[in-house]
Amino acid sequence: MENQNKFTLSRRNFIRTSALASGGLLIGFNFLTSCGETAAPPVDITKLDFKDFNAFIKIAENGYVTIFSPNPEIGQGVKTSMPMIIAEELDVPWNHVSVEQGALDTTNFSRQVAGGSQSIRFGWDALRQTGATAKQMLINAAAAKWGVEASTCSASNGIIKNSNGDELGYGDVVNEAAHLEVPEDVTLKTTKDYKIIGKDAINVDMNAIITGKPLFGLDYVAENMSYVSVMRPPAFGQKINTFDDTAAKAVNGVSEVVQFGDKIAVLASNTWAAMKGKKALKVQWINDSNLENTADHDAELFKILDGKNLEIRREDGNVKQAFAEADKVLERTYESPFLPHNCMEPMNFYANVTADKVHLVGPIQTPAGTARRIADLINRSEEDIHLEMTRMGGGFGRRLYGDFALEAAEISNLTKQPVKVIFSREDDMAAGIYRPAIKYRIAASIKDGNVTGYHLKEAAINSNMYGLIPHFFPAGAIKNYKVESGNYQSNITTGAWRAPYTNFLAFAEQSFFDELAELLETDPIQLRLDLLKNVKDGEDPNIQYSAKRMTDTINLVAQKSNWGNTKDGIYQGFAAYYSHNTHVAEVVDITLKNGLPLVEKVTVAVDCGIVVNPTGAKNQVEGGVIDGIGHAMYGDFSFENGQPQDVNFNTYRLIRMKETPIVETYFVDNNLSPTGLGEPGLPPAGGALANAIKAATGQILTKQPFVKTLQKHDASFKA
């Protein structure tokens, strides 16, 4: 969608429509020198008398602005970029803006969710409208004060001027403006007039983060609060038979032990005592359902791939006939394990359930949904729930589910006291919500030097790829095309993990295309470009990607990476993928050190439309690339008798600082509306790495983590 400059806004929907942004924000003036401006002298904003202007904006009489952020902040930067959008259209100096995290408010805000890399995409139009409408109301108030037509006035940098040269600051007219009719037509800026959007801005919480100010859920403390550690079943498929809490209650600081369902809560005056008390519990567990193993999962998933009971997700042409008439057929099966999320900040949540209200505080990606579930759980009205969001030390999908928040609410409701549930690392890895194990089988037919058919089968634990994915590339690019899926139902809890499904599917498909290119004796990039020529944008409404935008992105990365023209000793791998409405292409450069692959550099090209905050955008891309490379190379997780075999970082391997490559990020320059960035950089990384390793060693990688395959072929390779 192109950047539009004219909007009609209903008066009565002004506040709620503005909330579609999923977040407006308040930006700390003392952190904003990153805009290239000299910061104003420090102002104690706690002493200012801010006037409510709308659900997002408060303006003080000295012109300082507070912008509230309804969206959860998990490190994706929305608490900086969303306020930038409002501030741009409001036309207020960036160093006069402060940001505050809003609480859950389903009346004034919509989609208070951090998920799917959709916050900026959904918020773009509404946030601009919010800022532009507020600016027009301020102009109208100033015009009324002067007795002139509003059309003869303009505003810039928080100052309103008329044709006579008179000036008024926003603070001079904020009281009058807040009571005016909401204008139905507002004009938005064109990209050439942007002063804030597209300029680097430091994370608004940066100073608080590096100085240890209380921002995160783990920092939250309330009066008379008990710390809670929860004993959960050690294996999926088990439940409590009996337990003895005598030793737990004897631990200094432990105040109470409570069973709820098949869990036991230990309440204490501090975290250490709560966790020590939990370890002192003596529990007998009995089996309630099957205790599952990774070997059994593998067998079940292969049965699905080999069977005939799969669901057709998309079917074009006649795949069976294309394969029957083929000169050559290439088929590969790709495998991935379960993976935990491993957020830096373990799960935690505060709850205080009283007769008057339910007060909740903590790091959650889905505040509204979590509040509804808690209301149902403890039989309270949703109106009783007051939920405050803290900054999160990582989410990656784990904090979508809110199981930890429900635990806190249930324990508080049972004990009639304020509590804070805190997971240890072992708690989260042993009883978490995991990326599902998945296998893909891909086959392609070749006739007369062309790809004529493509068949993708998915076998997954618990659920399958969401509905849009079958319409990603190469849908539409190959005449005979079929996607099928099936799943095995497990008692192991699974859910979204950064870039769900595509985090592994992109590796499988992009590795497969490299092999196809080799069979066709063509350059891997050229193969993708040739296939994209078969797609006419807009012809098939189900196709999700843009062939033109993907082509431009691929061409940009080929140019910036010096594709095919590197110096001796550098091996390159390419991958391109569309997900979360964003087109990304990556080239990985590796060298061989003592015969082993070393990732030197990753060049990334991204088409995400208008880039709101380049610094934040690059951070998101770089983080996604490193995350993708690390988990593809090392991420492994298995189960025996229902128990995870890794519960901490001493055995679960993550990428290390010395293994992180240089990441160079380039953005396609256009004036299209912004799309997601938190996730799209991750999916192509594994495929580009696998293709680079294949170029260097000849080794075809079909199973994650790659380290296992590399170790099999070279015993000197150390994990």
Side-chain angles (χ1 to χ4, degrees), residues 86 109 145 147 171 178 241 314 360-362 382 385 421 445 449 489 492 523 548 569 686 714:
I86 289 181
F109 303 133
K145 209 167 193 176
N241 185 18
R314 178 175 174 127
L360 307 168
V361 184
E382 284 187 49
I385 309 291
V421 169
S445 58
Q489 288 299 306
I492 294 170
D523 178 81
K548 180 185 184 306
D714 188 337

Side-chain angles (χ1 to χ4, degrees), residues 1 85 120-122 124 582 608-612 672-676:
M1 167 177 187
I85 298 169
I120 294 294
R121 177 171 174 258
F122 275 95
W124 174 247
T582 294
C608 60
I610 293 168
V611 179
V612 176
L672 302 175
S673 296
T675 54

Side-chain angles (χ1 to χ4, degrees), residues 625-653:
V625 167
I626 292 169
D627 205 7
I629 285 175
H631 282 94
M633 195 72 164
Y634 304 110
D636 198 12
F637 203 74
S638 60
F639 290 86
E640 287 187 19
N641 296 321
Q643 286 190 287
Q645 297 305 288
D646 299 284
V647 294
N648 214 319
F649 297 141
N650 61 322
T651 58
Y652 183 78
R653 177 76 153 87

